[in-house]
Amino acid sequence: TMKDGGGSIKLWRCFAAGGTGALHKIDGVCRYPLGMSGGQIQDEDISASSQWSESTAARYGRLDFEEGDGAWCPEITVEPDSLKEFLQIDLRSLHFITLVGTQGRHAGGIGNEFAQMYKIKYSRDSSRWISWRNRQGKQVIEGNRNAYDIVLKDLEPPIIARFVRFMPVSDHSMNVCMRVELYGCEWLDGLVSYNAPAGEQMSLEGQPVHLNDSVYDGAVIYSMTEGLGQLTDGMCGLDDFTHSHVYNVWPGYDYVGWTNESFPNGYVEIMFEFDRTRNFTTMKVHCNNMFMKHVKAFRQVVCYFRSEADWEATPLSFSPVVDDVNLSARFVTISLANHMASAIKCQFYFAEAWMMFSEITFQSGDDPTHKIDDSNTRILIVCLVAIILILVAIIVIILWRQVWQKMLEKVRDATWSHIHTNEFFLSQKILTSTAVTASKAPIATVAQDGVPHYAEADIVNLQGVTGGNTYAVPALTMDLLSGKDVAVEEFPRKLLTFKEKLGEGQFGEVHLCEAEGMKEFIDEDFSFNISDNQPVLVAVKMLRADANKNARNDFLKEIKIMSRLKDPNIIRLLAVCICSDPLCMITEYMENGDLNQFLSRHEPEGQIALISNVTTVGYSDLRYMATQIASGMRYLSSLNFVHRDLATRNCLVGKNYTIKIADFGMSRNLYSGDYYRIQGRAVLPIRWMSWESILLGKFTTASDVWAFGVTLWETLTFCKEQPYSQLTDEQVIENTGEFFRDQKRQIYLPQPVLCPDSLYEIMLCCWRRNTKERPSFQEIHRVLLESQA
Ligand SMILES: *[C@@H]1O[C@H](CO)[C@@H](O)[C@H](O)[C@H]1NC(C)=O
Ligand SMILES: *[C@@H]1O[C@H](CO)[C@@H](O)[C@H](O)[C@H]1NC(C)=O
Ligand SMILES: *[C@@H]1O[C@H](CO)[C@@H](O)[C@H](O)[C@H]1NC(C)=O
């Protein structure tokens, strides 16, 4: 289903498997906001040609920020064809930039200035500036059409730079203001330029094949100097070099190639310059090998290394096996044997009349400049750093206490407030489980129509998904550590009897226990259908005794949040043990486990089931369960809680197909395949996540609705396969990009066999691109109920 000609998923961002930085180069993954909106880019690193006033200075040019007068605005109106004005960002190190976002000045409705068009210039060293052009050679990028919407543009080819300038362009004089963001990732290869002989032209059956480096950003005469281009654009060529992934380009576009006729020595020499001295492990060269057209990977490579000023005397030589059998283009990996170098010069020897490369990547080890050999100095420095850290920590704690005290006072007056949790919380949440976190504070920030406007809504950066996560809790539960306003009771630990372990995470375990006399401890509105004196089965989530203070605080916060959730379709927090360690929360136990396992054990009613004698679940039962999930989610959304991880694995099944939503999934290794680990960042359930959650880090009720659609799909397929099981994680992310671009190339989950059109219609509505067009849980619940009648 994936190869449907023009409409197929494009997977041409390539990477050399295994290298440290390599993963970052895949399209879709290297799309992190680089810190204009998130604040990681400092004010002093944002500058401009001019400013209209102090309140529209460069530092106000941050996407989705409303500080100052709401944007960066240059001093004078932008004239046609004058490229005098720019907003400049210094990223402090080289980055691979794949996407840019722009926005105008809205300022709560007062502003109405924006850039309809702009150009981008970039630099790696702040002295040589290069104008960005797309693959067709066009420089102007379409910008905004109003003052508030964020417009994102893919950079094709991507940019490798430290400095980036946005230059507003106009066809008539106008006032222009801009807010911007850059998206990408750090450029770990460290390559700042390669110099090579210019690519040549081949004549194939009378047709020219242009093997020049068409996106090279240095000087090109007889050779290429001081630039980067196709060999570092993350795009691997196809097996057949006359074809390309890129639309509407000439044959040979993806490759830079040379013929042995022009090189009497028998080799092509390429010189690579790096940002600093590095400890190199490998080089990977993506080569074409269409030997029937006289193209082969190289037969030998000889590399010279320069660390300080001098070239090392003995080069490194490597001869790959010449392949006369397999036509496919491939990465050839060359071990660089931990040579230290800031420049590498390699001579690639022809194995055939032609040699063609599409990509070269480098992998290097630790930053050697940070290594100090003298061990005494090292110990001294470690001690000094430790002392400084302790002092800083003390100061921070003192300040934090004061600030916190003030905040508490303020917050008590309001009904709702934000809390910024730290990085730790979410990683804990992700690894151990249960918190149902809330979205933006409803009363304080919702726009008139009750829906946060797209431009006003948070664009949390992807790091923000694991890090500065904003959620709301009622002010009355703010007094976190006193425990007095937890809406559930303390349960005597001795009345719990351990039965078995249900799950385990980094910060704790979930046990199945028997609890005696539970009835006295819980609200009368909640009924166990068991006689008074019988012990009941409960699930007990326990924080490890050695968990640090952050984990403890987060555990307590989680208790606060969960204790407020009272709905027949949400797992209920029954009681807690927080007076002594280890901290525990006691929740209902659902005897049939999670919905995923439950359905996997069952079959639809029908012939096969009759023969194989497995237990069946009817369509009406499936719909009944889906209705309950919708009902629980309707309750959560009414409180403006965003679940973030709705899936069958997080819905628990009780007697008679009752369903309660929980969030225990991540604590189990069982489902690790459902989560995608972004290097050193978070684990994310990408197959359930909306496009805006993946690309922009935005989690809202509308993204929960998307996940509901996937959950519904899982339910109707009896969880027999993972969503998009035929796609790899990278392809799922690529597909997300298609949802964002919305050019009818996105792949939807197919209609399950059992699923009537009306239900599939609901799923498709949940996966609409525009969040406002997705149905509410209220509507979904109503439609499901009606279809049941
Ligand atoms: C590469 O070759 C194509 C086709 O002849 C040409 O249009 C293009 O300008 C060339 N690019 C460079 C940078 O030489
Ligand atoms: C380069 O890295 C390797 C492996 O990490 C290490 O063993 C070696 O000592 C390093 N070389 C230098 C000169 O630092
Ligand atoms: C180029 O390579 C072809 C094929 O290996 C060979 O026949 C030819 O002699 C080579 N030409 C030169 C100038 O080395």
Side-chain angles (χ1 to χ4, degrees):
T1 50
M2 277 182 52
K3 291 205 173 75
D4 60 342
S8 67
I9 291 190
K10 284 184 295 164
L11 261 187
W12 35 258
R13 280 262 177 268
C14 69
F15 67 102
T20 42
L23 181 68
H24 286 312
K25 285 172 84 179
I26 320 168
D27 190 25
V29 174
C30 180
R31 295 169 80 94
Y32 303 106
L34 296 182
M36 288 295 277
S37 47
Q40 296 89 333
I41 296 174
Q42 303 295 310
D43 281 348
E44 66 257 29
D45 292 331
I46 310 171
S47 56
S49 51
S50 71
Q51 64 195 43
W52 186 73
S53 70
E54 190 48 43
S55 58
T56 61
R59 65 176 180 279
Y60 298 114
R62 296 173 182 272
L63 195 85
D64 216 28
F65 252 60
E66 292 283 355
E67 315 274 278
D69 269 342
W72 163 70
C73 311
E75 186 179 5
I76 40 173
T77 55
V78 169
E79 302 289 339
D81 304 324
S82 87
L83 280 172
K84 286 196 207 109
E85 303 298 339
F86 61 81
L87 177 64
Q88 177 176 322
I89 300 158
D90 176 0
L91 295 167
R92 293 288 173 143
S93 63
L94 290 179
H95 280 71
F96 194 77
I97 302 159
T98 55
L99 185 72
V100 288
T102 58
Q103 198 180 12
R105 185 178 86 94
H106 186 54
I110 306 162
N112 190 28
E113 299 86 3
F114 51 93
Q116 289 172 326
M117 293 176 286
Y118 61 96
K119 292 186 185 180
I120 285 182
K121 275 196 175 186
Y122 61 94
S123 172
R124 291 185 270 275
D125 55 8
S126 87
S127 67
R128 194 167 71 88
W129 287 87
I130 304 155
S131 297
W132 179 83
R133 299 166 184 274
N134 72 7
R135 294 197 185 274
Q136 279 71 37
K138 204 173 146 222
Q139 289 188 22
V140 175
I141 303 174
E142 297 263 334
N144 298 90
R145 302 202 158 265
N146 57 45
Y148 42 86
D149 280 331
I150 294 168
V151 173
L152 299 175
K153 291 283 173 188
D154 282 295
L155 290 182
E156 202 46 76
I159 289 174
I160 297 165
R162 173 177 159 178
F163 303 90
V164 178
R165 281 180 183 171
F166 286 83
M167 319 181 74
V169 178
S170 167
D171 50 17
H172 56 278
S173 313
M174 66 183 288
N175 289 317
V176 163
C177 300
M178 287 185 96
R179 287 179 281 170
V180 303
E181 178 65 285
L182 300 167
Y183 302 81
C185 54
E186 230 185 318
W187 173 238
L188 297 173
D189 283 34
L191 188 62
V192 289
S193 72
Y194 60 81
N195 302 334
E200 296 179 287
Q201 184 176 325
M202 178 192 227
S203 175
L204 194 67
E205 289 139 20
Q207 295 295 317
V209 178
H210 299 281
L211 297 163
N212 61 359
D213 192 335
S214 53
V215 299
Y216 193 72
D217 62 15
V220 187
I221 311 173
Y222 301 109
S223 68
M224 309 187 277
T225 51
E226 299 283 299
L228 293 174
Q230 279 189 301
L231 297 184
T232 52
D233 70 350
M235 191 194 276
C236 283
L238 296 173
D239 294 349
D240 181 350
F241 58 87
T242 59
H243 292 139
S244 170
H245 309 279
V246 184
Y247 177 66
N248 208 2
V249 288
W250 55 85
Y253 181 87
D254 290 345
Y255 286 95
V256 185
W258 305 271
T259 163
N260 67 350
E261 300 294 330
S262 322
F263 297 87
N265 294 337
Y267 60 80
V268 171
E269 185 173 278
I270 308 184
M271 164 105 138
F272 305 92
E273 303 264 3
F274 296 86
D275 53 353
R276 56 175 163 78
T277 303
R278 287 170 174 260
N279 183 343
F280 285 96
T281 50
T282 47
M283 167 170 77
K284 299 186 182 189
V285 184
H286 191 261
C287 313
N288 192 278
N289 201 51
M290 265 208 129
F291 49 82
M292 7 53 109
K293 304 249 167 86
H294 306 290
V295 186
K296 263 191 204 165
F298 49 93
R299 112 183 120 72
Q300 192 192 11
V301 59
V302 177
C303 293
Y304 297 81
F305 298 87
R306 189 186 70 198
S307 52
E308 302 304 321
D310 305 322
W311 289 97
E312 272 179 34
T314 43
L316 178 149
S317 165
F318 172 75
S319 304
V321 182
V322 173
D323 185 347
D324 297 322
V325 182
N326 187 346
L327 281 171
S328 47
R330 76 277 314 274
F331 269 108
V332 177
T333 302
I334 298 119
S335 167
L336 299 181
N338 291 113
H339 274 270
M340 302 293 297
S342 61
I344 302 179
K345 183 167 68 180
C346 291
Q347 295 162 350
F348 297 91
Y349 284 83
F350 286 92
E352 247 292 355
W354 284 87
M355 187 158 64
M356 298 180 189
F357 299 160
S358 73
E359 195 71 13
I360 301 185
T361 69
F362 288 89
Q363 290 73 41
S364 52
D366 287 344
D367 181 353
T369 57
H370 292 165
K371 292 221 174 92
I372 294 148
D373 282 323
D374 182 48
S375 58
N376 284 335
T377 323
R378 204 183 306 174
I379 291 168
L380 197 67
I381 287 180
V382 166
C383 290
L384 280 174
V385 167
I387 291 168
I388 291 169
L389 282 181
I390 290 167
L391 286 175
V392 167
I394 291 170
I395 292 169
V396 166
I397 289 168
I398 292 169
L399 286 177
W400 185 78
R401 281 189 151 195
Q402 286 176 352
V403 170
W404 187 245
Q405 213 63 42
K406 284 206 183 111
M407 251 178 73
L408 272 182
E409 281 159 25
K410 271 192 195 160
V411 147
R412 282 207 186 94
D413 303 335
T415 322
W416 293 81
S417 69
H418 288 73
I419 294 182
H420 290 271
T421 60
N422 51 24
E423 181 122 16
F424 204 81
F425 172 61
L426 209 83
S427 53
Q428 189 237 358
K429 169 179 153 47
I430 278 173
L431 290 165
T432 69
S433 73
T434 65
V436 183
T437 49
S439 70
K440 301 185 66 161
I443 294 158
T445 59
V446 166
Q448 281 117 330
D449 57 356
V451 188
H453 196 278
Y454 181 76
E456 293 162 350
D458 281 281
I459 289 210
V460 183
N461 58 38
L462 203 53
Q463 282 138 339
V465 177
T466 63
N469 172 31
T470 307
Y471 73 109
V473 288
L476 45 148
T477 67
M478 287 291 289
D479 200 356
L480 289 176
L481 299 170
S482 73
K484 64 176 182 278
D485 46 28
V486 174
V488 291
E489 301 232 16
E490 175 78 14
F491 188 79
R493 205 179 288 272
K494 59 178 187 295
L495 299 182
L496 291 171
T497 318
F498 174 81
K499 304 280 287 184
E500 69 179 274
K501 190 155 100 180
L502 296 173
E504 188 172 3
Q506 191 179 340
F507 298 95
E509 292 182 353
V510 183
H511 292 172
L512 174 64
C513 292
E514 254 176 15
E516 277 176 67
M518 182 50 95
K519 209 148 190 178
E520 294 167 29
F521 290 90
I522 54 181
D523 292 358
E524 50 281 355
D525 67 324
F526 182 79
S527 62
F528 276 119
N529 45 1
I530 300 175
S531 64
D532 279 359
N533 40 17
Q534 246 179 345
V536 291
L537 287 175
V538 291
V540 178
K541 188 184 157 199
M542 217 180 288
L543 185 72
R544 278 215 176 104
D546 58 356
N548 63 19
K549 196 147 182 249
N550 279 333
R552 282 177 69 87
N553 285 349
D554 294 335
F555 195 82
L556 290 167
K557 274 182 211 160
E558 204 175 306
I559 288 177
K560 305 273 178 182
I561 293 168
M562 275 196 76
S563 69
R564 296 178 52 239
L565 301 177
K566 295 192 173 160
D567 183 84
N569 298 117
I570 304 288
I571 202 84
R572 179 72 76 97
L573 181 63
L574 301 173
V576 293
C577 312
I578 50 175
C579 291
S580 61
D581 277 335
L583 304 182
C584 294
M585 47 179 117
I586 304 171
T587 65
E588 302 173 74
Y589 171 64
M590 304 287 278
E591 55 268 50
N592 279 319
D594 71 58
L595 181 57
N596 191 293
Q597 288 177 311
F598 179 76
L599 287 177
S600 309
R601 287 196 299 269
H602 290 79
E603 289 289 337
E605 284 168 344
Q607 272 330 107
I608 300 171
L610 275 178
I611 299 162
S612 61
N613 205 16
V614 290
T615 41
T616 61
V617 176
Y619 167 68
S620 61
D621 301 322
L622 294 180
R623 200 178 46 199
Y624 172 55
M625 291 191 282
T627 311
Q628 294 176 73
I629 301 174
S631 177
M633 291 307 296
R634 181 186 57 168
Y635 171 76
L636 286 186
S637 66
S638 74
L639 297 176
N640 277 291
F641 276 107
V642 178
H643 186 287
R644 289 168 179 249
D645 193 14
L646 181 60
T648 53
R649 63 182 171 275
N650 288 329
C651 297
L652 302 182
V653 186
K655 284 201 184 64
N656 301 326
Y657 305 114
T658 50
I659 296 276
K660 296 185 190 228
I661 299 168
D663 190 10
F664 288 101
M666 294 236 197
S667 60
R668 298 195 186 171
N669 295 331
L670 194 59
Y671 293 111
S672 58
D674 287 348
Y675 296 89
Y676 177 61
R677 183 173 289 279
I678 292 180
Q679 267 198 343
R681 292 167 195 265
V683 280
L684 296 173
I686 52 169
R687 289 162 199 271
W688 284 259
M689 279 163 73
S690 65
W691 70 267
E692 75 274 10
S693 301
I694 293 179
L695 295 184
L696 306 174
K698 262 176 78 165
F699 290 86
T700 59
T701 294
S703 57
D704 274 354
V705 166
W706 180 295
F708 176 82
V710 181
T711 308
L712 189 55
W713 182 89
E714 285 185 279
T715 306
L716 283 145
T717 52
F718 276 74
C719 301
K720 294 288 189 266
E721 57 174 304
Q722 225 192 6
Y724 307 106
S725 58
Q726 77 280 20
L727 304 191
T728 63
D729 286 342
E730 286 73 26
Q731 285 169 322
V732 170
I733 291 171
E734 182 71 20
N735 194 31
T736 302
E738 295 298 351
F739 270 104
F740 163 66
R741 285 186 279 274
D742 203 20
Q743 293 162 342
K744 306 258 181 299
R745 287 197 297 234
Q746 61 271 48
I747 293 177
Y748 290 90
L749 289 169
Q751 182 165 0
V753 180
L754 268 185
C755 177
D757 292 347
S758 60
L759 235 56
Y760 191 53
E761 194 62 39
I762 298 180
M763 293 179 203
L764 292 176
C765 292
C766 294
W767 303 325
R768 284 183 179 151
R769 182 189 188 277
N770 187 340
T771 51
K772 287 181 201 161
E773 288 172 11
R774 291 179 207 155
S776 64
F777 280 115
Q778 193 131 16
E779 286 167 301
I780 295 173
H781 180 247
R782 189 173 41 83
V783 173
L784 284 170
L785 259 190
E786 281 167 5
S787 71
Q788 213 139 339

